[in-house]
Amino acid sequence: MRKKECIAMLLAGGQGSRLGPLTRKNAKPAVAFGGKYRIIDFSLSNCINSNIDTVGVLTQYKPLILNSYLGNGVAWDLDNPEGGLHILPPYATESGGRWYNGTADAIYRNMDFIERYDPEYVLVLSGDHLYKMDYNEMLTFHKKNNAALTVSVIQVPMEDASRFGVMSVDGDMRITKFEEKPPKPESNLASMGIYIFSWPVLRNALIADHKDPDSSKDFGKNIIPNLLNAGERLFAYTFSGYWKDVGTIDSYYEAQMSLLDEHPDFNIFESKMRIFSNANMLPPHYIGSNAVVERSLVCNGCEVLGTAKNSIISYDAHIGIGAVVEDAILLPGARVEAGARVFRAIVGENATIEAGACFCGGTEKERIAVLGDHGRYASV
């Protein structure tokens, strides 16, 4: 294979258990978002927008939908024969097979894939965050500092810092201290889970970590602290744009509803740093003669015969005659049959709200109703 300056390794095996019914049959990176996207689209689009044309996607939990969606990577222009998109699941060896034991173990067990391209740098990403980022700017910062590792960071409120890996830096942004989810953080510079390693450093660190029987095989808990203790040059790259981990039902719901603002913090419509998707092979949406649509995203293949207000109607969804969908998210293929009402709710992929049923969450400060993929709901 042709030598690459930088390749990406995208960790996409997360279960996302806090998303409840939405991830019982699906990996978190493959959960639908914003009508026509899946969460993994954002990291993949960042790669191609940054001219990184070789991406290994490490899958594990419930990979069927994710693998089918990714295909050969053509939707993201990642079907390049000199690189492209590669799905990397756990595999058996002569000593047996097992799951990836941690983020570092997942990369370690795919070192042969990395070696094929003999890269100078390896970009390690998570497949379950929402953001737009030019990784080239981070790579330029990494090279300028002759860094062994650069960690992308974002400033968070001090009261939230204990949820993240937190680092302290000197005046040159060199990392002087790193703590994974400290109870009393000394800094509000939070790791975004985006790393650029110089490949020789990462290779040696992974080998040493694999040999350590007491290691958790994790970047935040083991690899980064070990490199820091060894005196390696570790730097923090500050990112000032929108970044969000939609790890809970509330954050997932709120992030999508914010897309309906006239000037959203996260703009999916701007032409710069476009977001690509494998959800374009559908007919145009149809709005019936008696339908009402207000302040909503309505995607390809939808049929709206009733009312949609302040909602996200994902591709191939259906709202029947007399049905009302308000402050809600319909995931791909969801059906709200005639006369039904959906309010402050998330209706999963290919799920059905039966005719006349009322599937409603509480007021703004109360719970969001969630129906899992392929579920059916009828009023009792």
Side-chain angles (χ1 to χ4, degrees):
M1 289 291 178
R2 182 167 61 89
K3 178 179 174 61
K4 301 285 184 179
E5 180 185 34
C6 181
I7 70 168
M9 299 294 280
L10 199 161
L11 298 161
Q15 180 177 351
S17 58
R18 292 181 298 164
L19 287 176
L22 302 181
T23 52
R24 284 180 188 151
K25 298 181 180 180
N26 199 2
K28 181 183 175 184
V31 171
F33 185 90
K36 66 172 292 183
Y37 306 107
R38 295 185 184 272
I39 295 174
I40 197 172
D41 284 331
F42 301 95
S43 296
L44 285 176
S45 297
N46 287 338
C47 286
I48 200 62
N49 286 328
S50 304
N51 297 314
I52 294 174
D53 64 0
T54 304
V55 182
V57 181
L58 290 81
T59 63
Q60 182 156 280
Y61 174 80
K62 301 283 186 180
L64 180 61
I65 293 174
L66 180 60
N67 291 353
S68 176
Y69 181 74
L70 294 175
N72 66 352
V74 65
W76 304 271
D77 199 23
L78 285 170
D79 56 339
N80 174 12
E82 293 295 327
L85 184 147
H86 301 261
I87 297 173
L88 304 172
Y91 57 89
T93 66
E94 64 277 3
S95 59
R98 55 186 172 87
W99 294 112
Y100 294 140
N101 288 333
T103 53
D105 180 63
I107 304 297
Y108 170 82
R109 291 171 60 190
N110 287 282
M111 286 174 57
D112 287 348
F113 170 79
I114 299 173
E115 293 283 14
R116 294 175 66 191
Y117 298 98
D118 189 23
E120 296 178 48
Y121 309 102
V122 176
L123 171 66
V124 179
L125 305 170
S126 172
D128 53 11
H129 296 149
L130 308 178
Y131 65 107
K132 292 183 180 182
M133 182 177 181
D134 186 347
Y135 300 131
N136 281 320
E137 295 177 3
M138 182 177 173
L139 181 58
T140 297
F141 176 88
H142 179 87
K143 291 190 285 189
K144 177 182 176 181
N145 288 291
N146 190 28
L149 163 64
T150 298
V151 182
S152 186
V153 299
I154 193 166
Q155 289 188 331
V156 299
M158 204 66 186
E159 59 269 22
D160 295 336
S162 60
R163 297 169 40 218
F164 300 89
V166 174
M167 58 212 70
S168 301
V169 298
D170 63 17
D172 296 321
M173 296 302 291
R174 183 166 178 173
I175 299 171
T176 58
K177 186 176 182 179
F178 181 91
E179 293 182 283
E180 182 70 7
K181 298 181 179 179
K184 295 182 179 180
E186 299 178 7
S187 165
N188 68 339
L189 287 181
S191 171
M192 299 166 62
I194 302 169
Y195 313 121
I196 292 180
F197 288 91
S198 294
W199 170 229
V201 174
L202 176 59
R203 179 178 52 212
N204 291 338
L206 291 173
I207 292 171
D209 182 70
H210 177 72
K211 294 178 180 178
D212 181 358
D214 297 323
S215 172
S216 300
K217 315 302 180 191
D218 184 85
F219 280 102
K221 294 177 181 178
N222 306 110
I223 298 294
I224 297 175
N226 289 344
L227 290 176
L228 188 62
N229 292 337
E232 295 282 2
R233 293 177 60 83
L234 275 57
F235 285 81
Y237 171 81
T238 303
F239 178 70
S240 58
Y242 179 98
W243 178 86
K244 195 172 186 68
D245 180 356
V246 287
T248 65
I249 288 294
D250 285 345
S251 64
Y252 173 79
Y253 177 86
E254 291 164 5
Q256 293 203 71
M257 300 308 287
S258 70
L259 299 177
L260 301 175
D261 295 341
E262 290 187 13
H263 302 288
D265 292 333
F266 189 56
N267 190 348
I268 60 175
F269 291 98
E270 63 183 359
S271 57
K272 183 181 179 181
M273 296 292 288
R274 281 185 59 199
I275 305 300
F276 299 92
S277 163
N278 192 14
N280 296 317
M281 303 301 291
L282 288 165
H285 63 257
Y286 174 77
I287 308 296
S289 57
N290 295 316
V292 176
V293 179
E294 297 178 1
R295 197 173 179 266
S296 296
L297 296 179
V298 182
C299 297
N300 286 0
C302 291
E303 185 178 42
V304 181
L305 306 178
T307 297
K309 294 183 178 180
N310 199 53
S311 294
I312 294 175
I313 316 302
S314 300
Y315 62 86
D316 209 26
H318 170 86
I319 300 176
I321 295 172
V324 177
V325 175
E326 186 173 1
D327 295 342
I329 300 168
L330 304 187
L331 298 190
R335 292 185 61 85
V336 180
E337 296 184 344
R341 182 166 184 247
V342 176
F343 171 73
R344 194 166 166 77
I346 301 169
V347 181
E349 294 196 39
N350 300 301
T352 300
I353 306 298
E354 295 187 0
C358 181
F359 187 69
C360 301
T363 62
E364 186 172 343
K365 293 183 179 180
E366 295 177 350
R367 69 178 182 87
I368 300 162
V370 182
L371 180 62
D373 296 351
H374 302 277
R376 294 189 71 89
Y377 181 83
S379 293
V380 178

